[in-house]
Amino acid sequence: AYVYQNPEVKAGLTGHGIWWAFSHPHARNWHPLTTLSHMLDCELFGLNAGGHHLTNVILHASTAVLLFCVLRRMTKTLWQSAFVAAVFAIHPLRVESVAWVAERKDVLSGLFFVLTLGAYSRYARVLTVRSYALVVVAFAAGLMSKPMLVTLPIILLLLDWWPLRRFQASASTPDPKHSLATAKRLLLEKCPLFFLSALSCLATVAAQSGSVGALEPFPLLWRFENAMISVVVYLVQIVWPVGLTPFYPFDIANLSPVETLGCALLLVGITAGCLWLRHSQPWLLVGWTWYLVMLLPVIGIVQIGMQAHADRYTYLPQVGVCVAATWGIAEATKALPRRSALLATAAAAFLIAMGILAWMQTRYWRDSWTLWTHASAVTQNNEVAENNLGTLLDADGKYAAAIQHFQRAIAIQKQRGQARYMLTIALAENNLGNALARTGESDDAIAHYRVATELRPDYADAFYNLGVLQQQQHHNTDAISAFEKALKLRPDDAAAHGRLGDALRSKSDERSALRHYERAAELAPDATWAQYSLAWLLATSPDPSLRDGKRALSVIRRAMQLPNAGSGAMFRALAAAHADLGDFSAAISAAEQGMRTAVVQGDVETVHQLQGDVELYRSGFPLRELMPTH
């Protein structure tokens, strides 16, 4: 959806593509700069995955270097800044954001995040409109890369406290009124940035309208409990990053009130300690608040998707924890003998360990089977891993094994007692239907498609698949209803338009069928089946007001120029168009060429059809004379 199945992105950088990136959500997100970066990669590398991965690595490495430069400039310290940047660069939690091309939004927004910090650091020294404009531009670019940056204005306020010390710099006396005026001025200064954050939130809510609905099955209390646990889980993963996986199940049954209370008390205790030391060690409060604030958009109070938490969500929040811990340790060890050697040894050991773990974690991302096998191994009752393993087996033709994984994914959800709510069970039901259909169990497949559409009335794929099987069983009225529902959800689905056209033509609704064939041909100009369907109706329709041999000839000739277009069926449509125009000699020639092609391709059915067509054309009749109905 982000790259190789998206026609707008695959086309590279085009004028229409740039307009589309800014005017349309992409994968239920509005992040036009991220979309443009994918388009640029396709322009430069095509669908060579190595180029896309290289871009992620370059962006992440650039962000790490810039983070070091910005921290050093703001704090005037070398080694603490270098350590924080190094941890950011090679920590195993970064693997998901860098190794996964679809997480381009993380590495691109991270770059603009650090550029915003650098621009703001400059603005704090040189209070000019131009320097502030750079802050606004960098921040806007970050929001257009990933809306998670909406809390960045609060981070800037924290940096005003430390290390920029803008609160103290404006107060030459401990006058409370003067301090309040300073705080108001600094807050007012961030108003344009908060306005941009509000606009980004509105755009995100609009783009995610289909995903935010996923929070309905989770009561607010459950989401709050999961949020408390996730914040602590992320802290543990900083020092013990093992068992990492791209999906952590939201297992409500295992949410322990005692565990939740313990996590909440721990977070309150850390916050209280940071507040107590805010004057003597301000970096503790700044780093800790940075961590909490940046997690707010993704902590799950507003649930997007079905995961309990995700490694990618720590990409920028973890920097705050590292800042607090690094400066805190440096302060706490001031009195130690041989302090420099001890800290250097400990830092090197930690970085080497993290580097080895990151290298090991990256290996799991080499292919989908390895990734989801690992996910299933390191988590319990992971329905997404089971479903994805089933999908891989299904694509490999191992239908029996695939069916077992899909059934396991469904059973996990039913065991939790949330079956009718979960989006993932609808996905598994649909995929199980696909596997059953491929093994010839059409009735069972239809039953599972129906369950999927009941669980998710917005599931276009399930409606489409249901319609295909109903069409194959000649239940065309039901198929028409299913395809119409699919198109209501996904109006630009060329395949659904083509299938609906076939079903309508079987009901002798030629005019409606033509409309859908035309739309399919428009949406899929490079699809030979779409052009063939349109040309076939134009050449063979029993309705004289719709029949247009000249247009059919134009459509089929253009389609014949497409790659892999020389099938027997295509020549049959070409022959029908010639015959409709009365050129039976050309029709016979095209039909005979089609027979030769069909023989080579082993298409016996088309050979027999073309033999009958040739006899008809030799008698001087167009094909429609034998086709009063489709």
Side-chain angles (χ1 to χ4, degrees):
Y2 277 88
V3 185
Y4 68 88
Q5 288 183 347
N6 191 308
E8 298 288 350
V9 172
K10 284 198 301 183
L13 278 176
T14 64
H16 179 269
I18 293 171
W19 174 84
W20 179 85
F22 281 92
S23 60
H24 290 73
H26 180 193
R28 287 186 170 176
N29 284 283
W30 187 77
H31 41 40
L33 291 190
T34 294
T35 304
L36 290 178
S37 77
H38 286 304
M39 291 178 176
L40 179 59
D41 275 358
C42 288
E43 185 75 25
L44 296 174
F45 311 115
L47 293 181
N48 177 0
H52 297 254
H53 285 296
L54 177 63
T55 300
N56 270 22
V57 172
I58 291 173
L59 288 170
H60 178 64
S62 301
T63 301
V65 172
L66 286 172
L67 179 63
F68 163 68
C69 295
V70 170
L71 287 177
R72 186 183 183 190
R73 172 175 287 185
M74 288 195 296
T75 64
K76 305 297 190 295
T77 57
L78 173 63
W79 293 110
Q80 288 97 314
S81 301
F83 181 73
V84 169
V87 171
F88 171 80
I90 55 91
H91 198 279
L93 285 172
R94 302 291 83 76
V95 171
E96 181 170 290
S97 297
V98 182
W100 190 9
V101 168
E103 278 309 302
R104 170 67 52 79
K105 52 185 180 287
D106 270 354
V107 292
L108 188 60
S109 66
L111 179 64
F112 286 118
F113 174 87
V114 178
L115 286 173
T116 304
L117 297 188
Y120 186 75
S121 175
R122 182 177 184 275
Y123 166 75
R125 299 193 314 274
V126 184
L127 298 176
T128 64
V129 173
R130 181 178 179 182
S131 59
Y132 188 80
L134 290 175
V135 176
V136 173
V137 170
F139 179 49
L143 291 174
M144 289 189 287
S145 302
K146 186 177 184 179
M148 186 176 167
L149 268 59
V150 291
T151 56
L152 198 154
I154 301 176
I155 305 302
L156 299 183
L157 282 170
L158 293 172
L159 296 178
D160 285 336
W161 176 263
W162 180 89
L164 300 178
R165 301 187 183 276
R166 296 183 69 201
F167 282 90
Q168 298 89 332
S170 299
S172 56
T173 62
D175 182 2
K177 292 183 178 180
H178 192 90
S179 298
L180 182 60
T182 299
K184 288 182 178 179
R185 177 179 59 80
L186 293 175
L187 185 61
L188 184 64
E189 181 184 73
K190 310 299 185 296
C191 283
L193 304 180
F194 281 115
F195 177 71
L196 290 178
S197 292
L199 292 179
S200 180
C201 288
L202 291 175
T204 301
V205 169
Q208 289 274 8
S209 56
S211 298
V212 177
L215 65 87
E216 292 176 358
F218 301 133
L220 180 61
L221 178 60
W222 289 353
R223 284 179 267 138
F224 180 78
E225 290 176 346
N226 181 69
M228 293 296 100
I229 294 173
S230 296
V231 173
V232 175
V233 166
Y234 291 142
L235 289 176
V236 173
Q237 287 178 330
I238 292 175
V239 295
W240 190 250
V242 297
L244 303 182
T245 174
F247 183 84
Y248 300 92
F250 195 139
D251 193 351
I252 295 171
N254 290 328
L255 287 179
S256 166
V258 175
E259 183 182 2
T260 304
L261 179 61
C263 291
L265 290 175
L266 175 63
L267 298 179
V268 169
I270 295 175
T271 304
C274 292
L275 286 169
W276 180 263
L277 297 170
R278 67 187 183 278
H279 293 299
S280 60
Q281 299 189 49
W283 45 82
L284 296 178
L285 181 61
V286 169
W288 178 246
T289 309
W290 175 325
Y291 172 66
L292 296 179
V293 167
M294 290 216 73
L295 278 178
L296 281 177
V298 293
I299 201 58
I301 300 300
V302 176
Q303 185 76 17
I304 304 294
M306 306 309 298
Q307 69 283 340
H309 51 90
D311 298 350
R312 59 188 177 276
Y313 292 160
T314 68
Y315 190 72
L316 293 174
Q318 183 184 298
V319 175
V321 174
C322 288
V323 167
T326 302
W327 267 264
I329 291 172
E331 179 69 17
T333 57
K334 273 186 174 180
L336 286 179
R338 305 182 63 183
R339 169 176 173 268
S340 297
L342 288 173
L343 290 180
T345 302
F350 183 79
L351 291 174
I352 290 172
M354 292 302 105
I356 293 172
L357 290 174
W359 172 74
M360 294 173 63
Q361 184 65 23
T362 305
R363 296 176 66 196
Y364 296 125
W365 285 82
R366 69 174 179 264
D367 59 61
S368 298
W369 181 259
T370 304
L371 182 67
W372 293 110
T373 302
H374 171 72
S376 181
V378 299
T379 58
Q380 293 183 344
N381 297 328
N382 193 329
E383 69 277 8
V384 170
E386 295 294 340
N387 181 71
N388 288 345
L389 288 171
T391 302
L392 294 168
L393 289 165
D394 184 50
D396 201 30
K398 300 175 182 177
Y399 304 126
I403 288 171
Q404 291 180 358
H405 281 283
F406 293 139
Q407 290 173 334
R408 197 173 301 145
I410 294 169
I412 290 170
Q413 296 290 40
K414 288 182 177 179
Q415 183 181 359
R416 291 177 181 164
Q418 309 158 56
R420 69 186 184 91
Y421 298 110
M422 287 297 190
L423 304 184
T424 47
I425 194 173
L427 183 64
E429 291 280 2
N430 177 71
N431 290 341
L432 178 55
N434 290 341
L436 290 168
R438 292 186 179 99
T439 59
E441 301 179 48
S442 298
D443 291 337
D444 288 341
I446 286 176
H448 286 285
Y449 289 145
R450 290 191 186 279
V451 172
T453 59
E454 290 169 3
L455 289 168
R456 280 189 64 181
D458 64 339
Y459 199 173
D461 282 339
F463 280 112
Y464 174 81
N465 293 333
L466 176 62
V468 170
L469 278 193
Q470 289 171 333
Q471 191 176 44
Q472 290 175 358
Q473 295 184 343
H474 305 292
H475 299 155
N476 287 299
T477 300
D478 293 334
I480 289 171
S481 175
F483 290 135
E484 286 176 341
K485 289 176 181 176
L487 285 170
K488 185 177 180 180
L489 295 166
R490 196 163 55 200
D492 293 340
D493 188 335
H497 278 289
R499 289 280 189 175
L500 180 55
D502 291 342
L504 288 166
R505 204 171 181 202
S506 72
K507 304 287 287 185
S508 299
D509 189 352
E510 300 277 317
R511 190 168 299 277
S512 297
L514 176 61
R515 187 170 65 251
H516 286 286
Y517 285 150
E518 287 175 333
R519 184 61 178 147
E522 178 186 352
L523 290 169
D526 295 335
T528 54
W529 62 263
Q531 311 305 316
Y532 166 81
S533 297
L534 175 59
W536 185 253
L537 184 146
L538 291 169
T540 63
S541 174
D543 187 342
S545 66
L546 301 179
R547 199 166 55 249
D548 188 343
K550 186 175 181 180
R551 184 184 173 198
L553 196 61
S554 174
V555 171
I556 203 68
R557 280 176 171 170
R558 187 168 59 251
M560 296 287 279
Q561 304 302 315
L562 296 172
N564 303 318
S567 66
M570 293 291 283
F571 282 106
R572 191 180 185 214
L574 178 63
H578 280 301
D580 186 66
L581 293 172
D583 190 350
F584 294 105
S585 176
I588 293 170
S589 176
E592 289 176 343
Q593 188 173 355
M595 279 192 285
R596 292 191 293 272
T597 302
V599 168
V600 173
Q601 295 174 341
D603 187 353
V604 178
E605 182 181 359
T606 300
V607 171
H608 291 315
Q609 290 171 339
L610 284 164
Q611 286 173 341
D613 295 348
V614 169
E615 294 302 317
L616 187 67
Y617 299 149
R618 284 175 176 162
S619 302
F621 292 100
L623 190 59
R624 65 174 181 275
E625 297 297 327
L626 293 184
M627 298 184 64
T629 59
H630 182 58

